[in-house]
Amino acid sequence: MKKIIQYAALGLLLVVLPLGSFYYLKKGFNFQLENLQMLEPKGDVPAFSFLSNEGDTINTELVKGSPHVVHFFSDDETTLKLLHQISQQFKDKDVHLISYLPNTNFDYKNILKKYNIEINRKKSNWHFIPIKNEAELAQLTSMYRLSPNDKNNILIIGKDMKIRGYYDENNDTFEDVLVRHVALMLPKDKKAEIGFERTKEK
């Protein structure tokens, strides 16, 4: 009986545990591969230059070399808090965020204030650009390969200025997927630093 137990334990060590480890490693590899495939290039973003609401120039030179997130501003608490969280985790400006405002008079600051979102304009990597007119809106939707009705999509643009992903803010799972994909777009030495640090409830 003692030998049977010993053989069973040996079988567990030599067969079952390695197979289990292989399964989980394989599962993790496939998950990573699936996400990388989702980030395949979907088109180039041409050179651009716009003025932010603060009068700063936001252009290709500023954002190339690091991934950036593009957002057409909407009064959506979940989306705005998520973007704020991402901007806070990248204070060293490894990632930029660009939110396009519906018009030049749009009062986005009061909307942010409503959700207790505070931004240090001098240090922030979150830029707000007002859309001046319909022609400029058409330029942007063409530039980002969007239909006029797809402005609820958030985009990730790679450091190579290629569109890498579209994320519908109306999709219940878009938060985790967006954060995961931003992490995958970072340089290798930066990937370990990102983890979506959810705000703790008081």
Side-chain angles (χ1 to χ4, degrees):
M1 182 69 179
K2 188 176 180 181
K3 284 189 175 182
I4 293 175
I5 294 173
Q6 288 175 338
Y7 286 136
L10 185 62
L12 179 67
L13 287 171
L14 296 179
V15 179
V16 178
L17 290 179
L19 284 175
S21 297
F22 174 79
Y23 169 76
Y24 284 108
L25 285 172
K26 180 71 172 175
K27 187 176 179 181
F29 174 78
N30 288 339
F31 181 74
Q32 184 90 336
L33 183 62
E34 180 183 341
N35 280 277
L36 288 172
Q37 288 173 341
M38 292 169 70
L39 289 167
E40 286 293 315
K42 298 163 182 64
D44 295 309
V45 174
F48 64 89
S49 181
F50 297 103
L51 282 179
S52 76
N53 226 37
E54 302 291 325
D56 300 318
T57 299
I58 310 301
N59 57 19
T60 310
E61 292 301 313
L62 176 69
V63 299
K64 75 177 182 181
S66 61
H68 66 280
V69 177
V70 171
H71 164 241
F72 287 83
F73 198 97
S74 62
D75 185 353
D76 182 87
E77 182 177 8
T78 299
T79 298
L80 293 175
K81 285 188 172 180
L82 173 67
L83 295 176
H84 183 237
Q85 184 73 32
I86 292 173
S87 74
Q88 290 296 295
Q89 287 186 231
F90 296 100
K91 291 180 181 178
D92 57 355
K93 300 191 177 182
D94 288 309
V95 173
H96 289 270
L97 295 91
I98 298 176
S99 284
Y100 291 102
L101 307 176
N103 56 65
T104 54
N105 298 316
F106 189 77
D107 191 3
Y108 74 96
K109 292 181 180 178
N110 265 336
I111 295 174
L112 296 180
K113 186 176 180 180
K114 178 172 66 174
Y115 301 127
N116 298 312
I117 297 174
E118 296 182 8
I119 296 173
N120 184 331
R121 293 308 316 143
K122 293 183 179 179
K123 298 180 180 179
S124 180
N125 53 352
W126 191 357
H127 317 290
F128 297 88
I129 299 173
I131 299 173
K132 297 184 180 66
N133 48 49
E134 289 296 321
E136 194 164 89
L137 175 59
Q139 176 190 349
L140 291 170
T141 53
S142 174
M143 185 167 86
Y144 294 119
R145 299 177 180 237
L146 292 167
S147 74
N149 298 322
D150 285 338
K151 288 188 294 179
N152 59 330
N153 278 319
I154 298 171
L155 291 79
I156 291 178
I157 313 299
K159 61 182 181 179
D160 54 3
M161 298 305 296
K162 295 181 184 296
I163 299 169
R164 296 289 180 159
Y166 296 91
Y167 308 85
D168 187 344
E169 63 183 2
N170 294 324
N171 187 312
D172 292 337
T173 63
F174 94 94
E175 295 176 73
D176 290 334
V177 177
L178 177 65
V179 173
R180 188 188 315 135
H181 286 182
V182 169
L184 286 171
M185 295 303 297
L186 292 175
K188 288 184 180 179
D189 60 336
K190 294 291 183 182
K191 287 180 184 177
E193 297 178 9
I194 184 171
F196 186 38
E197 301 168 0
R198 297 185 182 277
T199 305
K200 294 181 180 177
E201 294 184 5
K202 296 181 181 178

